[in-house]
Amino acid sequence: MPGWPTTILGGLPIARAGLEESAQGFVDHALAARGRRARPLYSTSANGQVIAMCAKDPALMALMLQADQIHADGMPMVMFSKLYSTKPVLERVATTDLIHAVARKAEEAGVSFYFLGGTEEVNAKAVDAMHKAYPRLTIAGRRNGYFTPEQEDEVIADIVRARPDILWVGLGVPLEQKFVLRNLDRLSGIGIVKTAGGLFDFVSGKNRRAPQWMQRAGLEWAFRLWLEPRRLAIRYLLTNPIALQALIRHSQ
């Protein structure tokens, strides 16, 4: 998977891989990593907000560039690349879709998950929802995302004991990127560490996804704005112009 071709969007190397290809890559890599005690593959995602944050914060850009793989988790990025790039990203790989694509394949292959992040209630409900949707999927362990720096060693020890094939880390940007890079070498033996943002809120049912037609049209942002106008209107007004400028100036 790290050898997949990339397209530079907003200064970030975005993997040119579709949803199903990415999911199969996760499963294949996780199986190949078993018993090797090697450093996990670190996969993360970017959307317009992340591109805007990177444009304003070189430290976050440096964090993102240390990932082995970055997926396009925003349809506007895909649409921009199709219009302006000679090597466009052909498909959005949203983490909220990727987890289900990986889970379907993981059931068959015996690949296990660990969920780290969200509140205790959201995390537990996310695990329960995945068990119901994929009865043969192995959840090796779970932990809410509310822990102190003093508890981090304990969290890492629990993950290592559980030995999941894929660790999904939903602590939000940039906390999850910092957590992963701080602990990546300590997580040897785990196949993949995937940052997941607010994934567990969606898996648990706390947050709603947009209808499929809106997702396909690149309008999921509008659906979320309709659900949370006060919180998201200001964010979009502040970040969208910065993201667009970064895409225009720093894409290939």
Side-chain angles (χ1 to χ4, degrees):
M1 285 194 301
W4 277 343
T6 60
T7 293
I8 303 298
L9 294 176
L12 297 174
I14 305 299
R16 294 204 309 273
L19 180 66
E20 291 300 323
E21 182 183 5
S22 298
Q24 190 62 55
F26 267 43
V27 170
D28 291 346
H29 185 90
L31 291 173
R34 283 182 176 175
R36 291 173 48 195
R37 303 299 300 175
R39 178 182 183 271
L41 182 139
Y42 165 30
S43 177
T44 191
S45 303
N47 56 17
Q49 182 189 9
V50 170
I51 288 177
M53 291 171 69
C54 286
K56 294 189 296 182
D57 185 356
L60 177 57
M61 175 66 83
L63 286 176
M64 293 294 292
L65 291 174
Q66 292 183 67
D68 297 308
Q69 177 189 79
I70 306 176
H71 284 118
D73 195 351
M75 196 62 189
M77 293 172 61
V78 176
M79 296 168 69
F80 179 91
S81 76
K82 288 182 178 181
L83 290 172
Y84 296 102
S85 176
T86 57
K87 298 176 180 178
V89 176
L90 299 179
E91 186 177 8
R92 176 192 183 197
V93 182
T95 312
T96 43
D97 295 322
L98 180 63
I99 191 169
H100 294 288
V102 176
R104 289 191 291 269
K105 299 178 187 298
E107 268 195 312
E108 301 297 326
V111 167
S112 62
F113 289 0
Y114 189 111
F115 285 177
L116 174 64
T119 65
E120 178 62 22
E121 180 182 10
V122 163
N123 189 287
K125 285 184 176 180
V127 170
D128 185 57
M130 291 298 286
H131 276 312
K132 289 177 180 178
Y134 310 101
R136 291 178 293 130
L137 176 65
T138 300
I139 306 292
R142 70 170 191 87
R143 174 65 161 82
N144 69 63
Y146 291 83
F147 52 89
T148 65
E150 293 74 24
Q151 293 173 311
E152 188 163 294
D153 286 347
E154 177 188 334
V155 172
I156 295 298
D158 185 67
I159 295 169
V160 171
R161 279 194 300 268
R163 296 292 296 275
D165 294 303
I166 303 174
L167 167 63
W168 303 83
V169 180
L171 303 177
V173 180
L175 293 181
E176 58 194 22
Q177 284 76 21
K178 292 179 179 179
F179 173 87
V180 171
L181 290 171
R182 205 164 49 237
N183 295 294
L184 202 55
D185 290 334
R186 302 168 66 191
L187 294 168
S188 61
I190 294 168
I192 298 171
V193 178
K194 172 65 175 175
T195 62
L199 170 67
F200 305 135
D201 286 339
F202 290 96
V203 174
S204 67
K206 178 184 175 183
N207 289 353
R208 292 162 54 194
R209 292 292 305 275
Q212 282 293 328
W213 70 267
M214 294 189 78
Q215 294 182 42
R216 288 192 295 268
L219 294 173
E220 189 158 15
W221 64 270
F223 181 77
R224 294 186 62 198
L225 179 61
W226 175 69
L227 290 177
E228 301 181 82
R230 290 186 179 181
R231 184 175 73 89
L232 293 180
I234 295 176
R235 178 203 289 183
Y236 290 159
L237 285 172
L238 293 176
T239 61
N240 286 358
I242 298 171
L244 180 59
Q245 184 182 48
L247 285 169
I248 293 171
R249 295 181 60 190
H250 304 296
S251 298
Q252 296 176 6

